């Protein structure tokens, strides 16, 4: 369920009912932030919402802030859901047209989370072709516009346009949330990027992994509501929003982080390119130039094998195999030997794909002997398909 909910209140008579809505959401333990339009202030005071929600009601885009963050952007990023109730004909029209001229509409444009509108207006306004066309457009754009109730309106007219009751709005928002965030409550642990094995204070052994595949997987799982922990080697990528980041450098620190966080994970995806070898001795001082030099390497711990051995009954363990030949054979052998549930085979023989590239070529092999060829695509699209396959396999196989 959402943690942070923005309730947008616009200027209609039904604004008084939003006090109950905010109260009910707050009682559920949500962090509720109310944004009111200037016209909503004609109907209900900001103080009512501030007292019920325990947070300042925001009414002005240019409000002075102590910490100088851009409030409509920071709130939009923090929000798990926005509910606009009542949504006036005016607000529906503005959002459908991309107008952002006050705090509510600006925040709506900046939000990536699900948005629910509970329209409320006079029947003639609601049935007007422009309003209906705005509602159709909003639904097509991915917003969730509720129907209205039919009955006696505040203006004494009888017909459609009555705002749904707060409990119905909450039930609708719950159903939207559950359908979009079907991985809510699932703990996903992902490793990504390369490791660096120190030779001396300035040199190291590493590889070409960019981390893009692992970061895309983390983003895809976050987008479906999973609690994602991303253990990352050194990469130059932005952390996915709402993922818990654990930054590591060496294979040893990656192993420690992965085994520690694996204990609470429902799904573990090992996507990092971990060094197989590390220098036997690390020099404390910079090694001076010689005519020749040899470096003795020792094996690092096999993280995937350790995770496979420690795997609990309902845990799904997913590995990646980057191969250049005998693809299916090597992938299936690794699935078996590491006690994996799924292995993602990555054909790295094709130029421009795989390591460091934006595209990849993935085939999945499952423990139940099924296979899924996901083909060549961008890492973002493949990540969504991989996460979907893992989730469906988990539904099928765990109790
Ligand atoms: C008493 C009164 C009640 C109103 N009720 C509604 C309403 O229920 N729905 C609506 O769309 N507009 C209603 N309006 C008109 C809006 O307040 C008006 O369109 C306003 O510009 C909306 O501003 P906002 O969308 O920025 O809050 C009402 C106006 C008055 C004076």
């Amino acid at each position: 369920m959402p943690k942070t909910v923005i309730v947008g209140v616009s200027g209609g008579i039904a604004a008084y009912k939003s006090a109950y809505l905010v109260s009910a959401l707050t009682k559920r333990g949500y962090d509720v932030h109310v944004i009111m339009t200037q016209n909503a202030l004609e109907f209900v005071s900001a103080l009512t919402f501030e007292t019920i929600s325990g947070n300042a009601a925001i009414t002005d885009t240019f409000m002075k802030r102590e910490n100088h963050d851009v409030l409509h952007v920071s709130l939009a990023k923090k929000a798990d859901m926005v509910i606009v109730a009542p949504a006036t004909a005016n607000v529906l029209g503005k959002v459908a047209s991309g107008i952002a001229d006050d705090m509510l509409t600006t925040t709506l444009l900046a939000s990536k989370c699900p948005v629910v509108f509970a329209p409320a207006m006079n029947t003639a306004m609601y049935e007007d072709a422009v309003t209906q066309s705005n509602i159709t457009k909003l639904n097509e754009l991915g917003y969730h516009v509720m129907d209205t109730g039919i009955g006696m309106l505040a203006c004494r007219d009888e017909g459609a346009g009555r705002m749904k009751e707060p409990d119905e709005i909450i039930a609708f928002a719950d159903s939207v949330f559950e359908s979009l965030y079907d991985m809510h409550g699932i703990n996903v642990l992902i490793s990504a990027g390369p490791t660096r094995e120190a030779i001396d204070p300035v040199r190291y052994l590493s590889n070409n992994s960019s981390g893009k595949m692992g970061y895309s997987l983390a983003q895809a799982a976050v987008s479906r509501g999973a609690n994602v922990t991303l253990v990352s080697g050194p990469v130059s990528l932005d952390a996915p929003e709402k993922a818990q980041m654990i930054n590591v450098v060496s294979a040893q620190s990656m192993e420690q982080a992965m085994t520690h966080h694996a204990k609470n994970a429902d799904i573990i995806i090992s996507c990092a390119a971990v060094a197989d070898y590390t220098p036997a001795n690390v020099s404390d001082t910079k090694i001076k130039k010689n005519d020749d030099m040899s470096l003795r390497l020792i094996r690092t711990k096999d993280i995937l094998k350790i995770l496979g051995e420690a795997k609990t009954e309902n845990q799904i363990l997913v590995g990646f195999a980057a191969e250049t030949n005998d693809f299916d054979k090597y992938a299936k052998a690794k699935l078996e030997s590491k006690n994996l549930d799924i292995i993602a085979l990555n054909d790295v023989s094709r130029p421009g794909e795989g390591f460091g590239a934006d595209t990849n070529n993935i085939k999945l092999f499952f423990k139940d002997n099924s296979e899924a060829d996901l083909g060549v695509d961008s890492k973002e699209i493949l990540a969504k398909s991989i996460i979907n396959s893992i989730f469906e396999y988990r539904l099928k196989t765990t109790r």
Side-chain angles (χ1 to χ4, degrees):
M1 289 297 104
K3 291 188 199 110
T4 304
V5 179
I6 296 176
V7 174
V9 182
S10 53
I13 285 286
Y16 77 94
K17 289 190 187 174
S18 300
Y20 178 87
L21 176 70
V22 171
S23 166
L25 291 168
T26 308
K27 279 186 190 144
R28 281 180 159 214
Y30 302 152
D31 183 23
V32 183
H33 294 262
V34 176
I35 303 180
M36 303 177 73
T37 64
Q38 284 301 317
N39 291 321
L41 290 167
E42 299 288 332
F43 296 86
V44 202
S45 86
L47 185 63
T48 303
F49 290 113
E50 289 181 348
T51 311
I52 297 171
S53 70
N55 287 315
I58 303 144
T59 55
D60 179 3
T61 320
F62 301 100
M63 219 159 87
K64 290 275 172 292
R65 303 265 301 151
E66 274 169 22
N67 55 2
H68 300 295
D69 65 349
V70 182
L71 189 57
H72 65 271
V73 177
S74 60
L75 249 188
K77 276 189 183 160
K78 199 172 152 197
D80 298 303
M81 179 167 269
V82 184
I83 302 173
V84 185
T88 56
N90 180 51
V91 158
L92 295 174
K94 284 204 283 190
V95 179
S97 313
I99 294 171
D101 65 351
D102 61 10
M103 187 62 188
L104 178 58
T105 47
T106 307
T107 307
L108 284 166
L109 206 56
S111 299
K112 288 188 184 155
C113 63
V115 176
V116 168
F117 287 104
M121 65 203 71
N122 160 272
T123 308
M125 289 171 84
Y126 182 66
E127 289 176 349
D128 188 273
V130 176
T131 305
Q132 287 304 314
S133 133
N134 287 333
I135 289 174
T136 304
K137 187 170 175 192
L138 289 169
N139 280 321
E140 282 167 5
L141 289 169
Y143 293 97
H144 304 272
V145 185
M146 292 185 75
D147 290 336
T148 59
I150 297 170
M152 173 71 85
L153 304 174
C155 53
R156 315 283 185 272
D157 280 356
E158 194 149 352
R162 201 185 153 89
M163 186 174 86
K164 289 281 187 186
E165 294 305 317
D167 289 337
E168 293 174 291
I169 298 173
I170 292 175
F172 181 86
D174 278 349
S175 68
V176 167
F177 199 83
E178 277 160 20
S179 68
L180 292 175
Y181 294 152
D182 52 358
M183 290 182 75
H184 177 77
I186 299 180
N187 296 328
V188 180
L189 173 65
I190 300 174
S191 71
T195 59
R196 283 181 187 170
E197 308 306 311
I199 297 170
D200 69 15
V202 294
R203 303 183 181 95
Y204 55 80
L205 298 173
S206 191
N207 58 60
N208 283 335
S209 168
S210 64
K212 280 180 199 155
M213 193 69 235
Y215 274 59
S216 301
L217 288 164
Q219 186 57 61
V222 164
S223 309
R224 287 177 67 162
N227 306 318
V228 177
T229 303
L230 179 59
V231 177
S232 174
V235 296
S236 44
L237 296 172
D238 291 333
E241 267 167 39
K242 296 186 178 164
Q244 185 199 355
M245 286 301 299
I246 313 284
N247 292 307
V248 297
V249 177
S250 65
Q252 189 187 14
S253 53
M254 172 100 37
E255 186 262 324
Q256 285 166 350
M258 287 300 284
T259 48
H260 175 72
H261 290 281
K263 293 183 190 107
N264 294 323
D266 302 303
I267 295 170
I268 305 170
I269 309 174
S270 179
C271 187
V274 184
D276 293 320
Y277 295 92
T278 190
N281 300 301
V282 183
S283 173
D284 290 339
T285 52
K286 188 180 167 200
I287 300 170
K288 290 289 166 205
K289 258 182 270 180
N290 283 318
D291 281 349
D292 57 27
M293 174 191 172
S294 60
L295 201 59
R296 197 168 78 80
L297 301 177
I298 53 171
R299 276 300 319 259
T300 54
K301 284 191 186 166
D302 186 338
I303 303 176
L304 201 50
K305 195 154 197 286
I306 295 170
L307 296 172
E309 282 163 2
K311 197 171 72 170
T312 55
E313 196 190 351
N314 279 334
Q315 227 169 28
I316 299 286
L317 180 58
V318 185
F320 271 71
E323 304 291 351
T324 53
N325 57 296
D326 290 314
F327 306 104
D328 292 21
K329 190 176 108 186
Y330 286 137
K332 284 179 185 169
K334 191 168 175 182
L335 180 83
E336 179 99 27
S337 68
K338 305 280 166 85
N339 192 23
L340 308 182
D341 299 281
I342 305 170
I343 190 150
L345 170 66
N346 191 345
D347 174 356
V348 286
S349 67
R350 299 154 51 128
E353 287 167 20
F355 265 31
D358 289 330
T359 55
N360 216 346
N361 177 14
I362 296 281
K363 186 171 175 184
L364 300 177
F365 296 88
F366 300 85
K367 197 177 176 177
D368 66 2
N369 288 323
S370 55
E371 298 176 7
D373 193 348
L374 305 182
V376 180
D377 223 318
S378 72
K379 289 182 175 172
E380 286 82 10
I381 292 188
L382 283 171
K384 285 184 187 163
S385 305
I386 294 170
I387 290 294
N388 194 48
S389 299
I390 297 170
F391 179 61
E392 289 192 346
Y393 187 76
R394 182 175 183 271
L395 281 181
K396 202 165 74 174
T397 56
T398 57
R399 276 176 285 132

